[in-house]
Amino acid sequence: MPEVLSRLESARVQDVRWRSGRVFGLVYDAGDEVERLLMAAHNTYFAENGLNPVAFPSLRKFEGEVVAKTADLLGSQGEVVGNMTSGGTESLLMVVKTARDWARDHCPEVSAPEMLLPRTAHPALEKAGHYFNVKPVYFEVDPGKRADPESALEAISGNTILLVGSAPSYPHGVIDPIPELAKIAEERGVLFHVDACVGGFMLPFLKDLGYPIPPFDFRVEGVTSLSVDLHKYGYAAKGASIILYRDRGLRRYQFFVSTEWPGGVYPSPTMTGTRPAGPIAAAWAIMHYLGREGYRRLAGQVMEAVQEIRDGIESIEGLHIIGNPDMSILAIGSDRYNLYEIGDEMGIRGWHMDRQHHPPSLHLTVSHGHTKVVSEFLVDLQAVVAEMKRPSLHRAGRAALPKMAEWLAHRLPGGVLRFLTIRAARWLGLSESDLPHRSAPVYGMLGTLPNREDLEEIILDVIESWTEPLDETSMER
Ligand SMILES: *Cc1c(COP(=O)(O)O)cnc(C)c1O
């Protein structure tokens, strides 16, 4: 192996160990055989470019078939059209851009377009609003964390162009009441998008298996578009999502074309120009390889693991599952323990779980790679919670930190506070290489900042530090 390749290999030592099922989210692993298939398909189309379907009719065929199969799975009955994109974020960017341009033609009374989002909607929608100048307006979720249609009705205005529901929501894994929301959208004459990025390749198979799945797709009247990620529960290679529209005319607002460029007429259906063909070929390959039968089998095995994990968590005193999740995404809540501390201790044992807030919780996206580690996970979780019950000086010190930060925050002048918090961020930013093993005190501190703009500044600092040029800047070997 050339030396550079072994350097790539050895650089991975600090990365999370997804192969042993230790990371919940980020990677969706359906086993060695599927991985080999994806890599082979991806490599076969390593150099091709999806930008020009005339040059590569094979890619047009793959994309067309993948979109048609997905549309059929999600209740199309032959009318739905769509495109492949690079991921859920690009799919959602397209939805918001399409809605904005549609409204210019169809809603002359709209002066400053708004979209109505449940509090739990994925931030990619807020990002799309940020890019395309559509204001996100949030409405509430009920105690079970499902979007509250009453609250949506109250928030709707003359500027509303788009309403969104999730199937399911990422933070708590519950499906919003899609038929009720769709009805509101239909009555008000606005578009309605279902964000099924994480659920679209799981829910249809759970329905096949007899799980009680409420209607969420194009079978619901009033649903005008739907997004679904193949690189999540479709177990495809990363860079594969689909955006679907019920109506051809609506989708035309998504497209872009430049007619006068000296380089020729330049049509572009989605955000990207040059488009990697590997993810398209790999998505086509996995859908043909697994088929409905294969996906159903994987989904069933995942749900067995989910049931065990749910039972295990509920049996630990002081922990509970938030809401009543509809599939395989769980949030662990607690009225007794500091979940960020539990997350830290689990991290030291090699388990990577995302921290959530409002309310504090630990996030689990259970997929096929976890079916083999369920009991290991529960044993460690029980042990960590048992540790939490014992008094510890170390922990008491850390628990005092947020209190101290809060005390300081209320006494220091704004400028000094900003300086200090930015400093804190620098320290956080180091986390790329020297990830501090315990982040609970930092989460605690961030939660107490009285000024949310300070928090935004801190996070901007962190993002900057992720992309800071490192020592090796020379192109010399
Ligand atoms: C993952 C996810 C997204 C964003 O998808 P990316 O592929 O990460 O860009 C959007 N919505 C939901 C519900 C998701 O779970």
Side-chain angles (χ1 to χ4, degrees):
M1 192 168 29
E3 193 238 339
V4 281
L5 288 183
S6 58
R7 278 165 68 190
L8 284 184
E9 208 41 64
S10 55
R12 304 167 98 174
V13 289
Q14 295 202 2
D15 296 354
V16 286
R17 291 183 298 132
W18 62 267
R19 266 176 216 286
S20 44
R22 297 278 165 152
V23 52
F24 289 93
L26 299 175
V27 177
Y28 294 72
D29 169 22
D32 295 344
E33 212 173 295
V34 166
E35 189 188 343
R36 278 197 299 276
L37 175 89
L38 290 175
M39 284 168 71
H42 200 283
N43 276 350
T44 306
Y45 276 81
F46 162 75
E48 277 73 3
N49 190 341
L51 173 64
N52 188 336
V54 179
F56 300 110
S58 60
L59 294 177
R60 186 167 67 180
K61 167 186 148 75
F62 297 155
E63 176 169 358
E65 291 184 11
V66 164
V67 169
K69 278 182 195 299
T70 306
D72 181 65
L73 191 66
L74 295 163
S76 157
Q77 289 143 357
E79 52 185 341
V80 169
V81 292
N83 295 84
M84 274 189 85
T85 67
S86 60
T89 299
E90 188 186 351
S91 291
L92 294 172
L93 287 169
M94 294 292 52
V95 171
V96 174
K97 185 264 185 211
T98 299
R100 183 196 64 181
D101 292 356
W102 169 86
R104 283 179 183 158
D105 277 357
H106 292 82
C107 313
E109 72 289 359
V110 167
S111 52
E114 296 175 355
M115 57 181 159
L116 280 190
L117 308 175
R119 283 254 165 242
T120 49
H122 194 280
L125 286 153
E126 183 183 344
K127 182 175 173 180
H130 181 73
Y131 285 4
F132 296 126
N133 220 3
V134 176
K135 185 182 169 193
V137 173
Y138 290 96
F139 63 96
E140 296 306 322
V141 294
D142 67 19
K145 304 296 177 193
R146 292 173 209 271
D148 176 12
E150 292 284 315
S151 171
L153 258 181
E154 280 165 28
I156 215 162
S157 83
N159 277 327
T160 305
I161 62 169
L162 170 70
L163 177 65
V164 174
S166 311
S169 72
Y170 182 82
H172 311 110
V174 298
I175 302 176
D176 290 332
I178 300 301
E180 285 86 338
L181 294 174
K183 190 152 168 280
I184 293 174
E186 230 184 352
E187 279 170 10
R188 300 296 293 248
V190 302
L191 301 175
F192 179 51
H193 179 76
V194 175
D195 180 359
C197 277
V198 75
F201 247 77
M202 188 73 178
L203 299 175
F205 308 116
L206 295 189
K207 215 159 56 179
D208 284 356
L209 291 168
Y211 285 86
I213 302 298
F216 72 96
D217 59 15
F218 286 106
R219 289 171 191 95
V220 179
E221 242 178 87
V223 172
T224 53
S225 58
L226 184 148
S227 51
V228 45
D229 290 349
L230 303 179
H231 63 203
K232 288 180 182 158
Y233 285 99
Y235 296 105
K238 271 180 209 41
S241 170
I242 292 183
I243 175 64
L244 297 169
Y245 297 92
R246 187 189 289 278
D247 182 83
R248 253 167 220 288
L250 175 59
R251 182 179 63 163
R252 281 174 84 96
Y253 289 99
Q254 175 184 291
F255 297 160
F256 169 81
V257 56
S258 168
T259 54
E260 301 309 316
W261 184 41
V265 172
Y266 183 99
S268 174
T270 54
M271 298 281 293
T272 44
T274 290
R275 198 150 69 106
I280 301 174
W284 186 88
I286 182 88
M287 281 171 79
H288 280 80
Y289 178 73
L290 286 177
R292 201 167 180 122
E293 187 60 45
Y295 279 114
R296 204 183 288 147
R297 176 173 45 80
L298 293 177
Q301 289 165 351
V302 167
M303 290 309 282
E304 279 173 31
V306 166
Q307 194 56 53
E308 258 183 84
I309 293 175
R310 284 181 75 155
D311 292 346
I313 290 168
E314 299 280 8
S315 76
I316 300 175
E317 220 189 312
L319 296 190
H320 61 267
I321 303 285
I322 296 182
N324 183 19
D326 288 299
M327 46 173 249
S328 44
I329 295 177
L330 313 172
I332 309 176
S334 177
D335 301 324
R336 189 182 311 174
Y337 301 111
N338 180 333
L339 288 160
Y340 304 142
E341 283 182 12
I342 293 180
D344 285 352
E345 296 304 323
M346 287 296 279
I348 288 164
R349 288 164 194 252
W351 301 97
H352 178 90
M353 285 181 278
D354 279 331
R355 279 74 162 158
Q356 306 193 116
H357 58 178
H358 313 315
S361 63
L362 295 173
H363 190 263
L364 299 178
T365 304
V366 182
S367 61
H368 199 263
H370 303 113
T371 52
K372 56 183 189 265
V373 297
V374 173
S375 35
E376 256 181 283
F377 172 76
L378 289 172
V379 166
D380 276 349
L381 187 61
Q382 274 157 359
V384 163
V385 173
E387 258 171 49
M388 292 290 139
K389 289 185 189 154
R390 282 198 292 277
S392 129
L393 201 61
H394 190 55
R395 260 208 328 276
R398 276 185 286 135
L401 253 177
K403 286 262 175 306
M404 238 165 67
E406 190 177 14
W407 183 86
L408 269 171
H410 285 111
R411 278 158 189 80
L412 289 173
V416 177
L417 178 65
R418 183 171 295 247
F419 176 79
L420 281 178
T421 48
I422 286 172
R423 275 300 147 103
R426 293 256 153 76
W427 172 67
L428 237 190
L430 280 177
S431 64
E432 264 307 77
S433 45
D434 321 300
L435 193 75
H437 291 301
R438 294 189 163 87
S439 60
V442 179
Y443 271 88
M445 193 193 85
L446 295 183
T448 62
L449 285 176
N451 181 357
R452 301 317 275 176
E453 277 168 26
D454 283 327
L455 178 58
E456 198 177 313
E457 283 294 323
I458 290 179
I459 305 301
L460 288 177
D461 248 41
V462 173
I463 297 179
E464 221 172 14
S465 75
W466 282 345
T467 47
E468 216 65 68
L470 299 176
D471 314 338
E472 269 199 54
T473 48
S474 154
M475 283 289 283
E476 301 304 315
R477 302 174 58 201

